[in-house]
Structures are given as structure tokens and as C-alpha cells.
Amino acid sequence: MPPPLPIAFVAGRSGIWRIDRVCPVSGEGLPVADRLAVLEGSEALGPTEGSWILRGVTSNTRYANRLEVDALVASQEALLRPQATRAALIPIRKTETWWDLAQDERRAIFEEQSRHISIGLNYLPAIARRLHHSHELGEPFDFITWFEYAPEHAESFEEMVQQLRSTPEWRYIEREVDIRLSRDEPPG
Ligand code: HEM
């Protein structure tokens, strides 16, 4: 497991990603902006200006068991593959009821009842992902989820998101914003 990496998603006028749309799914949305920059490490910790900034940190796994971790490692791809010119940034806040549950109760909802990992695994390696934790940072969202895929996998990404949103886990989500982005394919 690599050490925790601080990340800042900065919406404004610069960054490689064009913001195509910002859709509130539950609760309050976020303002529309033109571009998104993804800052990592010390860059993410410095002072930054933007129309909005979401901060998070990569962390250890909480729910995945050994078999699931091995399956993820075997098929997950790195970020910024040249062909992966589409992205989704989906910040999520869960309810107080969720946070009041015990770890085993959360795992049961997350995987045994909702099959979050087994649904997600069906879409690897086409979709690359990184999960960022924000709950302990006092941020407005608990998680900032980030996904990258090629245009030909856009439909299967929608299918996967719809499946996840119909699971029992999503009853514990009180704020969710679906932000879609694209970028030009790098030359060469
Ligand atoms: C590419 C498909 C996906 C895969 C393989 C996947 C896999 C995972 C895994 C393994 C975890 C648990 C990490 C841990 O053990 O702590 C997780 C957590 C999470 N995922 Fe996904 N996921 C996928 C898609 C999505 C999508 C599309 C969303 C949002 C719409 C999402 C939202 C979340 C959230 C919010 C968490 C944190 C849950 C919590 O800790 O309460 N995932 N995902």
C-alpha cells in the first residue's frame, strides 16, 4: 500500500480536464466551472484558488477482503492512460446513520447486500479509479471518487453507476454530485 497521497481537485480556469457537466444527484450541487486541475502531494497542500476545491487523501482499504484486494490488484489500471480521455468526479457524503454503524455492519451493507466490489470488478480494467477520503479532513464530502475511461466505455460506465445507485448502500448517501470531464488525447 503506497503512503497516503494528498489530492486537491481545483475547478476554475486551468487544468488538463474540461468540465462537461455538473449534475446534483442528491442534495446540493456545485457551481459550474470550465476546467479542473488535479494537484497531488505537496502541490495539493499549498494555497490554491478556484471556484471550488475538493480535498482528499488516498488511504488504506477499509472493506475489501484478501480475495477482493487480489482481484482488484490483478485487473486495475493506472490513471492517465493516453486513451482514457473521459473522467468522472463524484464526491459523496454519507449519512450520520452510516457513520454510527459498526465496521462489520457497514461491510455487510457495502458488499454482502450491495455487491459494490463485485459490480465494480466487472468493469475493470476499462475503468481506472482512485478513491480519496475526506471525512476526517472536515470537508463537505466524505469521499471523492475519480474514474477514467476511453470514450468507447462511456456507456458501460453509466450502466455501472446506475447499478450501484440502486443498491442498499446508496440509501446512506445524502449528498452526491456527478461531474463529467474530458480531455484531448495527448500527442504521439
Ligand atoms: C470501477 C468500478 C468500481 C470499483 C472496482 C470500486 C471498488 C471499490 C472498493 C474496492 C472500495 C472499498 C475500498 C475499501 O476497502 O476501503 C470502494 C469504495 C467506494 N466506492 Fe467504489 N468502486 C467502483 C465504482 C464506484 C462508483 C462509480 C462510485 C460512485 C458513484 C463509487 C463510490 C465509492 C465510495 C463512495 C466508496 C467509499 C465507501 C465507504 O468507505 O463507505 N465506486 N469502491
Side-chain angles (χ1 to χ4, degrees), residues 61-65 68 94 98-99 103 106-107 110-111 117 143:
T61 51
R62 312 292 206 264
Y63 301 113
N65 65 27
E68 290 157 351
K94 288 190 163 177
W98 172 264
W99 291 107
Q103 183 71 12
R106 289 198 293 260
R107 156 78 200 188
F110 178 82
E111 193 57 27
I117 300 173
F143 305 98

mmCIF file of all heavy atoms in Angstrom, residues 61-65 68 94 98-99 103 106-107 110-111 117 143:
data_model
loop_
_atom_site.group_PDB
_atom_site.id
_atom_site.type_symbol
_atom_site.label_atom_id
_atom_site.label_comp_id
_atom_site.label_asym_id
_atom_site.label_seq_id
_atom_site.Cartn_x
_atom_site.Cartn_y
_atom_site.Cartn_z
ATOM 1 N N THR A 61 -7.269 0.311 2.476
ATOM 2 C CA THR A 61 -8.633 -0.185 2.268
ATOM 3 C C THR A 61 -9.313 -0.419 3.622
ATOM 4 O O THR A 61 -8.659 -0.711 4.624
ATOM 5 C CB THR A 61 -8.621 -1.505 1.476
ATOM 6 O OG1 THR A 61 -7.722 -2.399 2.101
ATOM 7 C CG2 THR A 61 -8.205 -1.294 0.037
ATOM 8 N N ARG A 62 -10.644 -0.273 3.616
ATOM 9 C CA ARG A 62 -11.426 -0.472 4.841
ATOM 10 C C ARG A 62 -12.259 -1.736 4.780
ATOM 11 O O ARG A 62 -12.516 -2.363 5.803
ATOM 12 C CB ARG A 62 -12.403 0.692 5.076
ATOM 13 C CG ARG A 62 -11.824 2.089 4.953
ATOM 14 C CD ARG A 62 -10.851 2.365 6.085
ATOM 15 N NE ARG A 62 -10.737 3.792 6.387
ATOM 16 C CZ ARG A 62 -9.795 4.597 5.913
ATOM 17 N NH1 ARG A 62 -8.879 4.136 5.081
ATOM 18 N NH2 ARG A 62 -9.745 5.865 6.281
ATOM 19 N N TYR A 63 -12.777 -2.064 3.591
ATOM 20 C CA TYR A 63 -13.784 -3.122 3.480
ATOM 21 C C TYR A 63 -13.337 -4.322 2.667
ATOM 22 O O TYR A 63 -13.801 -5.431 2.914
ATOM 23 C CB TYR A 63 -15.073 -2.556 2.860
ATOM 24 C CG TYR A 63 -15.634 -1.432 3.677
ATOM 25 C CD1 TYR A 63 -15.653 -0.134 3.192
ATOM 26 C CD2 TYR A 63 -16.100 -1.661 4.971
ATOM 27 C CE1 TYR A 63 -16.134 0.905 3.962
ATOM 28 C CE2 TYR A 63 -16.574 -0.626 5.751
ATOM 29 C CZ TYR A 63 -16.595 0.659 5.239
ATOM 30 O OH TYR A 63 -17.051 1.677 6.002
ATOM 31 N N ALA A 64 -12.492 -4.093 1.668
ATOM 32 C CA ALA A 64 -12.119 -5.182 0.762
ATOM 33 C C ALA A 64 -11.375 -6.274 1.523
ATOM 34 O O ALA A 64 -10.471 -5.984 2.314
ATOM 35 C CB ALA A 64 -11.248 -4.630 -0.362
ATOM 36 N N ASN A 65 -11.776 -7.546 1.296
ATOM 37 C CA ASN A 65 -11.047 -8.656 1.930
ATOM 38 C C ASN A 65 -9.897 -9.103 1.018
ATOM 39 O O ASN A 65 -9.707 -8.562 -0.071
ATOM 40 C CB ASN A 65 -12.014 -9.795 2.296
ATOM 41 C CG ASN A 65 -12.641 -10.444 1.070
ATOM 42 O OD1 ASN A 65 -12.060 -10.432 -0.019
ATOM 43 N ND2 ASN A 65 -13.834 -10.992 1.246
ATOM 44 N N GLU A 68 -10.680 -10.040 -2.554
ATOM 45 C CA GLU A 68 -11.102 -8.862 -3.324
ATOM 46 C C GLU A 68 -9.913 -7.964 -3.651
ATOM 47 O O GLU A 68 -9.782 -7.462 -4.773
ATOM 48 C CB GLU A 68 -12.182 -8.096 -2.545
ATOM 49 C CG GLU A 68 -13.495 -8.863 -2.483
ATOM 50 C CD GLU A 68 -14.402 -8.466 -1.325
ATOM 51 O OE1 GLU A 68 -13.970 -7.691 -0.426
ATOM 52 O OE2 GLU A 68 -15.542 -8.943 -1.293
ATOM 53 N N LYS A 94 -21.950 10.537 3.145
ATOM 54 C CA LYS A 94 -22.857 9.542 3.705
ATOM 55 C C LYS A 94 -23.537 10.098 4.957
ATOM 56 O O LYS A 94 -23.082 11.083 5.539
ATOM 57 C CB LYS A 94 -22.097 8.243 3.995
ATOM 58 C CG LYS A 94 -21.736 7.509 2.675
ATOM 59 C CD LYS A 94 -21.189 6.106 2.896
ATOM 60 C CE LYS A 94 -21.254 5.306 1.605
ATOM 61 N NZ LYS A 94 -20.665 3.968 1.749
ATOM 62 N N TRP A 98 -25.012 6.047 8.782
ATOM 63 C CA TRP A 98 -23.928 5.203 8.251
ATOM 64 C C TRP A 98 -22.717 5.244 9.179
ATOM 65 O O TRP A 98 -22.161 4.216 9.560
ATOM 66 C CB TRP A 98 -23.547 5.689 6.852
ATOM 67 C CG TRP A 98 -22.325 5.016 6.290
ATOM 68 C CD1 TRP A 98 -21.042 5.497 6.345
ATOM 69 C CD2 TRP A 98 -22.249 3.760 5.621
ATOM 70 N NE1 TRP A 98 -20.178 4.613 5.732
ATOM 71 C CE2 TRP A 98 -20.894 3.537 5.281
ATOM 72 C CE3 TRP A 98 -23.206 2.802 5.258
ATOM 73 C CZ2 TRP A 98 -20.463 2.396 4.603
ATOM 74 C CZ3 TRP A 98 -22.774 1.665 4.591
ATOM 75 C CH2 TRP A 98 -21.421 1.469 4.275
ATOM 76 N N TRP A 99 -22.326 6.452 9.568
ATOM 77 C CA TRP A 99 -21.106 6.595 10.371
ATOM 78 C C TRP A 99 -21.292 6.056 11.780
ATOM 79 O O TRP A 99 -20.312 5.732 12.451
ATOM 80 C CB TRP A 99 -20.642 8.052 10.367
ATOM 81 C CG TRP A 99 -20.142 8.465 9.009
ATOM 82 C CD1 TRP A 99 -20.768 9.284 8.120
ATOM 83 C CD2 TRP A 99 -18.928 8.023 8.367
ATOM 84 N NE1 TRP A 99 -20.024 9.387 6.958
ATOM 85 C CE2 TRP A 99 -18.897 8.632 7.085
ATOM 86 C CE3 TRP A 99 -17.877 7.177 8.733
ATOM 87 C CZ2 TRP A 99 -17.842 8.424 6.179
ATOM 88 C CZ3 TRP A 99 -16.837 6.977 7.829
ATOM 89 C CH2 TRP A 99 -16.824 7.595 6.579
ATOM 90 N N GLN A 103 -18.167 -1.343 12.074
ATOM 91 C CA GLN A 103 -17.444 -1.703 10.842
ATOM 92 C C GLN A 103 -18.064 -2.931 10.152
ATOM 93 O O GLN A 103 -18.222 -2.943 8.929
ATOM 94 C CB GLN A 103 -15.978 -1.976 11.218
ATOM 95 C CG GLN A 103 -15.064 -2.305 10.062
ATOM 96 C CD GLN A 103 -14.783 -1.094 9.173
ATOM 97 O OE1 GLN A 103 -15.078 0.042 9.528
ATOM 98 N NE2 GLN A 103 -14.232 -1.358 8.011
ATOM 99 N N ARG A 106 -21.262 -2.010 8.382
ATOM 100 C CA ARG A 106 -21.017 -1.255 7.137
ATOM 101 C C ARG A 106 -20.539 -2.193 6.026
ATOM 102 O O ARG A 106 -20.972 -2.097 4.896
ATOM 103 C CB ARG A 106 -20.007 -0.133 7.385
ATOM 104 C CG ARG A 106 -20.566 0.997 8.221
ATOM 105 C CD ARG A 106 -19.707 2.253 8.081
ATOM 106 N NE ARG A 106 -18.390 2.053 8.662
ATOM 107 C CZ ARG A 106 -18.037 2.479 9.865
ATOM 108 N NH1 ARG A 106 -18.887 3.165 10.604
ATOM 109 N NH2 ARG A 106 -16.830 2.246 10.322
ATOM 110 N N ARG A 107 -19.635 -3.094 6.366
ATOM 111 C CA ARG A 107 -19.138 -4.053 5.363
ATOM 112 C C ARG A 107 -20.313 -4.878 4.803
ATOM 113 O O ARG A 107 -20.390 -5.123 3.606
ATOM 114 C CB ARG A 107 -18.062 -4.965 5.990
ATOM 115 C CG ARG A 107 -17.851 -6.324 5.335
ATOM 116 C CD ARG A 107 -17.036 -6.304 4.054
ATOM 117 N NE ARG A 107 -17.282 -7.518 3.265
ATOM 118 C CZ ARG A 107 -16.614 -7.870 2.171
ATOM 119 N NH1 ARG A 107 -15.654 -7.132 1.694
ATOM 120 N NH2 ARG A 107 -16.918 -8.972 1.533
ATOM 121 N N PHE A 110 -22.214 -2.723 2.423
ATOM 122 C CA PHE A 110 -21.370 -2.361 1.281
ATOM 123 C C PHE A 110 -21.178 -3.530 0.315
ATOM 124 O O PHE A 110 -21.301 -3.357 -0.905
ATOM 125 C CB PHE A 110 -20.014 -1.886 1.830
ATOM 126 C CG PHE A 110 -18.996 -1.526 0.790
ATOM 127 C CD1 PHE A 110 -19.023 -0.280 0.190
ATOM 128 C CD2 PHE A 110 -17.995 -2.427 0.425
ATOM 129 C CE1 PHE A 110 -18.082 0.070 -0.774
ATOM 130 C CE2 PHE A 110 -17.053 -2.087 -0.535
ATOM 131 C CZ PHE A 110 -17.099 -0.833 -1.133
ATOM 132 N N GLU A 111 -20.889 -4.719 0.856
ATOM 133 C CA GLU A 111 -20.555 -5.818 -0.058
ATOM 134 C C GLU A 111 -21.580 -6.961 -0.054
ATOM 135 O O GLU A 111 -22.110 -7.295 -1.094
ATOM 136 C CB GLU A 111 -19.142 -6.343 0.228
ATOM 137 C CG GLU A 111 -18.609 -7.263 -0.860
ATOM 138 C CD GLU A 111 -18.586 -6.635 -2.257
ATOM 139 O OE1 GLU A 111 -18.485 -5.386 -2.364
ATOM 140 O OE2 GLU A 111 -18.714 -7.379 -3.239
ATOM 141 N N ILE A 117 -18.079 -4.119 -4.623
ATOM 142 C CA ILE A 117 -16.809 -4.522 -5.240
ATOM 143 C C ILE A 117 -17.056 -5.479 -6.399
ATOM 144 O O ILE A 117 -16.453 -5.343 -7.469
ATOM 145 C CB ILE A 117 -15.855 -5.144 -4.187
ATOM 146 C CG1 ILE A 117 -15.565 -4.121 -3.075
ATOM 147 C CG2 ILE A 117 -14.559 -5.624 -4.847
ATOM 148 C CD1 ILE A 117 -14.776 -4.654 -1.886
ATOM 149 N N PHE A 143 -16.117 11.383 0.722
ATOM 150 C CA PHE A 143 -15.281 10.682 -0.266
ATOM 151 C C PHE A 143 -15.278 11.482 -1.554
ATOM 152 O O PHE A 143 -16.292 12.085 -1.920
ATOM 153 C CB PHE A 143 -15.858 9.288 -0.594
ATOM 154 C CG PHE A 143 -16.065 8.435 0.616
ATOM 155 C CD1 PHE A 143 -17.319 8.334 1.208
ATOM 156 C CD2 PHE A 143 -14.999 7.752 1.193
ATOM 157 C CE1 PHE A 143 -17.514 7.571 2.347
ATOM 158 C CE2 PHE A 143 -15.183 6.983 2.325
ATOM 159 C CZ PHE A 143 -16.445 6.885 2.907
#
